Amino acid sequence: METDNRLLEMHGIVKTFPGVRALQNVDFFLNRGEIHALMGENGAGKSTLIKVLTGVYPKDGGTILLDGKTVAIHSPSDAQKLGISTVYQEITLCPNLTVAENMYIGRGKGSLTNWAKMNADANKILRKLDIPAVANMQLGNCSIAVQQMVAIARAVDMDAKVLILDEPTSSLDEQEVEKLFGLMRDLKALGVGIIFVTHFLDQVYEVCDKITVLRDGQLVGEYEIKDLPRVKLVAKMLGKEMDDLSDIKGESGMYEGDDTDLPVYEAQNLQSVAGIKPFDFYIRKGEVNGFTGLLGSGRSECVRAIFGADRVLPPGKKMVNGKLVKIKDQIKMNGKPVKIKNPRSAMKNGIAYLPEDRKIDGIVGDLSVRENIILALQVMKGFFKPFTKAQAYAFADEYIKKLNIKTASADTPVKSLSGGNQQKVILARWLLMNPQYLILDEPTRGIDVGTKVDIQKLVLELASGGMSITFISSETDEMLRTCSRLIVMRDRKAVGELSGDDLTQSMIMSTIAGGE
């Protein structure tokens, strides 16, 4: 019977924060040798349940059993001693140390460490798990995927029975994801129980055995993969039937512009210190366009150059009819030449930019939701001319309501919000400036499917009102749903442009493969 194979049982888990009941009598079960997806929208309670299990948060009610015995977990070290390990989306290892040092840090005896044995032991488990790294490599020289695998190897070597993978694939390309999945399947065969937290539905159906769905801090249900089609999974996560996303463009009217209107932004021979080859680019009023290409193709570097976030280089020279001729570069806004050399000058010209990495370049974690929302507008106004308290609260309340940001109050530290709600706070910051041109780089990465739909619909609504938007996403189908024109990148060079009937997945792939 399945209960004979039961590894972990969480019964009636309750967790309450001031003003919020984050978990309400939630049950969760994990078997040996099982990969179990924990699914739900941002704010559904997934992270809270994981933190209760790993001793980061004390539970307010319920019981936890491991191997049929009730356990008390008061700290992450308690969890680790019981064989419960977590690998987070953000790598928590030390990039300046070697692979072996990261695997055994905190487990040796200082100067008495047998370095030769440590390296030999590390290489043994790296080979056993088929991880492409060696013990004496500096971790920072490894890819993000390999760093994730080293973190998993550390957990396995500490006799992990339960391995929690929290959004481990959000920064990986397809080949790296497949490598990670191979490692997960190997661990499954060894009897390890794996809890897989992700927002990528395709990955859930590729590698998982079961799904548990949470919504608003409550258990929706536990399901076998074969018994839960994707459309039903989405409906259970949202609490409602989901419209066909392919019709999302039809829900917002197109901006009725004049074909003779000058582009809102246009550039010739733009390049930056990030190594982008000189490229031409324009966007019209009310248009949603985007940059697409494989990971590392230069999508983000292009928009960082447009916003002045990376230093723009002078255009240089090229051979024309056997002569070296200086290339002209020019940036125009609404037909008038402008100089955009840094983000502040871009903002003054009505350009806003939501960056790819919200943790590093987006939120200011220790500031409140309100302070994060008004930040860009306050920068433009000047810090010696602060908004009144009433103005600041009015701005924050307007966009908390408009974007349906889930927060206890405007004074809540933004770092305590879920990833999707943090993303909405950054979006609110830029919308408050009422930009002519909004750049969104991976605005839906690492957030739940419901919030993804909200952001996609908002993009099209803003465009129908006349805002120009450049949208970048690693998910091609999302680009096709939102964009009317795509610039295709390969090796940090624009290799094609697609629109109309050519806006298909197959055309994007063939353009990436074949170039011009």
Side-chain angles (χ1 to χ4, degrees), residues 51-155:
K51 287 176 179 177
V52 166
L53 176 59
T54 54
V56 176
Y57 294 155
K59 56 184 172 57
D60 297 323
T63 56
I64 301 174
L65 287 79
L66 193 65
D67 288 324
K69 298 176 182 177
T70 301
V71 293
I73 305 174
H74 301 295
S75 67
S77 62
D78 285 348
Q80 207 162 69
K81 288 172 185 174
L82 289 166
I84 301 171
S85 292
T86 308
V87 177
Y88 293 100
Q89 177 180 353
E90 288 88 12
I91 305 296
T92 54
L93 301 180
C94 303
N96 58 315
L97 300 182
T98 67
V99 168
E101 287 169 334
N102 271 284
M103 288 175 63
Y104 293 100
I105 191 169
R107 299 163 61 192
K109 294 184 171 53
S111 60
L112 299 178
T113 297
N114 185 330
W115 295 95
K117 183 177 186 305
M118 182 180 74
N119 285 336
D121 289 347
N123 279 325
K124 183 178 179 180
I125 192 155
L126 291 168
R127 285 194 298 270
K128 178 181 178 181
L129 299 177
D130 195 24
I131 296 173
V134 291
N136 60 1
M137 287 176 66
Q138 185 171 321
L139 187 71
N141 293 332
C142 300
S143 70
I144 295 296
V146 170
Q147 292 184 41
Q148 293 274 21
M149 292 178 188
V150 169
I152 293 172
R154 172 183 166 88

Side-chain angles (χ1 to χ4, degrees), residues 164-204:
I164 303 162
L165 300 179
D166 188 3
E167 295 287 354
T169 63
S170 61
S171 300
L172 309 185
D173 62 27
E174 289 183 15
Q175 290 74 27
E176 291 172 328
V177 169
E178 281 305 314
K179 187 74 176 173
L180 178 63
F181 283 177
L183 177 54
M184 290 167 64
R185 293 184 181 106
D186 290 344
L187 295 174
K188 171 184 172 179
L190 294 172
V192 177
I194 299 175
I195 302 173
F196 185 38
V197 182
T198 184
H199 288 105
F200 294 104
L201 301 188
D202 289 348
Q203 294 178 6
V204 169

Side-chain angles (χ1 to χ4, degrees), residues 381-402:
K381 185 179 180 182
F383 282 107
F384 293 107
K385 299 177 182 178
F387 293 110
T388 66
K389 188 174 182 180
Q391 287 174 321
Y393 272 92
F395 288 146
D397 289 345
E398 177 186 355
Y399 280 93
I400 287 172
K401 187 179 296 182
K402 187 176 288 186

Side-chain angles (χ1 to χ4, degrees), residues 364-369 372 407 409-417:
V364 183
D366 290 327
L367 296 185
S368 68
V369 171
N372 270 272
T407 178
S409 77
D411 291 315
T412 302
V414 74
K415 65 184 177 184
S416 67
L417 270 58

